[in-house]
Amino acid sequence: MPEPTPSAGAIPSPEADILAALGTRLVVLVGMMGAGKSTIGRRLAARLHVPFLDADIEIEAAAGMTIPEIFETHGEPHFRDGEARVIARLLESGPAVLATGGGSFMREETRRRVNDKAISIWLKADADIIMRRVKRRADRPLLQTADPVATVGRLIDEREPVYRHADLTIASRDVPHEKIVEECIEALHGRLCGEVAPPEAAAGIMGGLR
Ligand code: S3P
């Protein structure tokens, strides 16, 4: 009797291993504006065959206005409260990949929830890359200042010590998106499935696997 052919879903792959190990947890991307959380998150979700969720888009849908409008009408503290509530709700819908807004991980309660419900990846980008990417769009209220370069520098200084609490760190840089996605897959696999990433992947993984 010939051996039964395994179905496509049963073929072992790092993605399938990650999905099995995740269970109902999410992969949450944190980091500065312009770090590529949405771009990488969408592609990572496609690779893992799970839904992609974008906290900023969900906040706008819940509020019925854009983020600049929320800041202008109600102020940043109101935005932050809504952001924390929306992220708490989204964290109940795993497995999925969730891109969070750059300031959300600064809230202790959100970090605790992410830690409970997800594996977090900090997409770490330097100031030059962030500035290059964010200057194309005027939809970040926090950067509508006289000196956006100084603002980004200050935010990086304030936030990096907190982003460091993410489970994994990947360097976001000007390489093809698929390379960063591959590094996320390898880091997730190492973290969740107990294997050390091959050397070429480890080069892009900063801060190691904690
Ligand atoms: C913010 C980042 C934005 C958005 C809001 C505030 C921040 O999201 O949530 O403008 O505080 O860094 P992205 O990180 O997706 O740009």
Side-chain angles (χ1 to χ4, degrees):
M1 283 266 283
E3 288 287 311
T5 318
S7 69
I11 294 172
S13 68
E15 289 88 341
D17 291 348
I18 291 166
L19 199 55
L22 270 180
T24 58
R25 285 178 293 175
L26 294 85
V27 176
V28 168
L29 300 177
V30 305
M32 282 289 291
M33 313 172 229
K37 299 176 300 260
S38 301
T39 309
I40 299 302
R42 194 169 289 112
R43 289 169 168 79
L44 183 59
R47 283 280 296 269
L48 295 175
H49 299 290
V50 296
F52 170 67
L53 306 168
D54 190 312
D56 286 346
I57 290 175
E58 298 286 341
I59 292 162
E60 292 186 331
M65 36 178 137
T66 65
I67 289 175
E69 284 166 353
I70 304 172
F71 268 75
E72 203 179 309
T73 314
H74 300 294
E76 184 175 349
H78 177 92
F79 169 78
R80 295 297 173 198
D81 289 344
E83 177 178 54
R85 278 197 305 275
V86 166
I87 290 176
R89 168 170 58 80
L90 297 175
L91 285 170
E92 299 301 325
S93 43
V97 174
L98 169 63
T100 59
S104 60
F105 205 59
M106 299 304 286
R107 197 179 266 229
E108 202 267 329
E109 158 198 38
T110 295
R111 287 200 299 282
R112 194 169 26 79
R113 287 187 182 127
V114 168
N115 197 42
D116 283 351
K117 304 273 181 185
I119 298 292
S120 51
I121 302 179
W122 172 24
L123 286 185
K124 184 176 191 295
D126 65 26
D128 288 352
I129 289 199
I130 291 169
M131 280 316 299
R132 226 179 305 137
R133 292 180 184 165
V134 298
K135 74 175 178 220
R136 296 180 207 140
R137 287 167 36 188
D139 58 355
R140 265 87 172 208
L142 291 185
L143 299 185
Q144 306 311 305
T145 64
D147 187 352
V149 176
T151 306
V152 163
R154 178 181 55 76
L155 289 173
I156 287 177
D157 289 348
E158 282 171 16
R159 292 176 175 183
E160 287 205 341
V162 178
Y163 292 150
R164 254 178 245 290
H165 291 284
D167 296 309
L168 300 163
T169 302
I170 299 288
S172 173
R173 55 216 193 276
D174 282 336
V175 295
H177 299 317
E178 278 314 315
K179 168 127 184 73
I180 307 285
V181 173
E182 198 56 48
E183 289 172 7
C184 290
I185 297 274
E186 281 157 359
L188 285 166
H189 196 255
R191 170 81 184 197
L192 291 166
C193 311
E195 281 169 33
V196 176
E200 71 274 13
I205 302 169
M206 304 163 65
L209 309 174
R210 281 182 282 132

